[in-house]
């Protein structure tokens, strides 16, 4: 079985990692742990509001650094839990999570995608979007959405 685990370093993401780490998986299962670094949002602003290239590059590097840290943390947790016969790969991608997760799952041939849910409601969901909902509606394989157990306040 090929399991793609998408992480972002949040508590919701940690809940998904813990969910994967706690359960038994068929022998020979493979895991691909990914994180997607989004491009800085200021890049699309008019010239008068746009950041300098130096600032833009630092923001991009910070996003990649956070994604790399999230993947490393998840990989360490999984390696300690699933045993030596399981294959664990990692990948840090650049792009928009809603699209990149689905594309990577298709490219790798995933049987299952596991993502955490921030549990946004109302206006936050409208403005920030729901990565887990987009992945669940667009993926060609099964998708599991893990809630962190913390209830998000409704807007």
């Amino acid at each position: 079985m090929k399991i793609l685990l998408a992480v972002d370093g949040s508590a919701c993401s940690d809940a998904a990692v813990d969910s994967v780490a706690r359960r038994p998986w068929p022998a020979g299962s493979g895991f691909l742990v990914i994180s997607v670094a989004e491009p800085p949002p200021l890049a699309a602003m008019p010239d008068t509001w746009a950041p300098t290239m130096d600032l833009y590059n630092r923001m991009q590097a910070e996003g990649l650094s956070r994604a790399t840290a999230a993947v490393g943390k998840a990989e360490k947790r999984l390696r300690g839990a699933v045993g030596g016969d399981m294959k664990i790969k990692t990948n840090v991608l650049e792009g928009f999570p809603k699209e990149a997760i689905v594309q990577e799952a298709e490219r790798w041939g995933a049987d299952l995608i596991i993502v955490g849910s921030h549990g946004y409601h109302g206006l936050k969901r409208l403005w920030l979007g729901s990565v887990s909902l987009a992945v669940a509606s667009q993926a060609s394989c099964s998708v599991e959405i893990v809630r962190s157990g913390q209830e998000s306040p409704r807007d």
Side-chain angles (χ1 to χ4, degrees):
M1 179 170 219
K2 296 173 88 173
I3 302 100
L4 184 143
L5 174 60
V7 297
D8 66 4
S10 67
C12 303
S13 174
D14 291 345
V17 174
D18 287 341
S19 175
V20 171
R22 282 194 309 262
R23 61 181 115 156
W25 294 98
S29 290
F31 298 88
L32 176 58
V33 181
I34 68 166
S35 187
V36 182
E38 287 191 66
L42 300 176
M45 293 190 144
D47 288 340
T48 56
W49 293 97
T52 63
M53 277 310 285
D54 182 54
L55 177 59
Y56 180 82
N57 290 337
R58 282 188 287 156
M59 290 168 58
Q60 191 173 24
E62 179 61 29
L64 286 169
S65 177
R66 280 194 305 268
T68 300
V71 164
K73 179 181 171 185
E75 178 187 22
K76 183 178 179 182
R77 170 76 169 102
L78 288 181
R79 286 206 188 279
V82 298
D85 66 330
M86 303 290 183
K87 299 175 193 117
I88 302 173
K89 296 179 182 181
T90 63
N91 198 1
V92 174
L93 307 168
E94 292 183 73
F96 297 98
K98 292 176 183 180
E99 296 141 12
I101 293 168
V102 172
Q103 290 169 353
E104 186 68 3
E106 289 176 6
R107 184 200 64 75
W108 188 57
D111 300 305
L112 174 65
I113 299 170
I114 300 177
V115 295
S117 173
H118 288 275
Y120 293 138
H121 302 284
L123 291 177
K124 277 188 181 178
R125 186 175 194 163
L126 177 66
W127 288 328
L128 300 175
S130 173
V131 171
S132 58
L133 181 61
V135 169
S137 65
Q138 296 172 14
S140 58
C141 65
S142 296
V143 176
E144 180 178 325
I145 300 171
V146 178
R147 302 295 297 263
S148 70
Q150 301 172 357
E151 222 173 286
S152 297
R154 296 204 178 250
D155 292 336

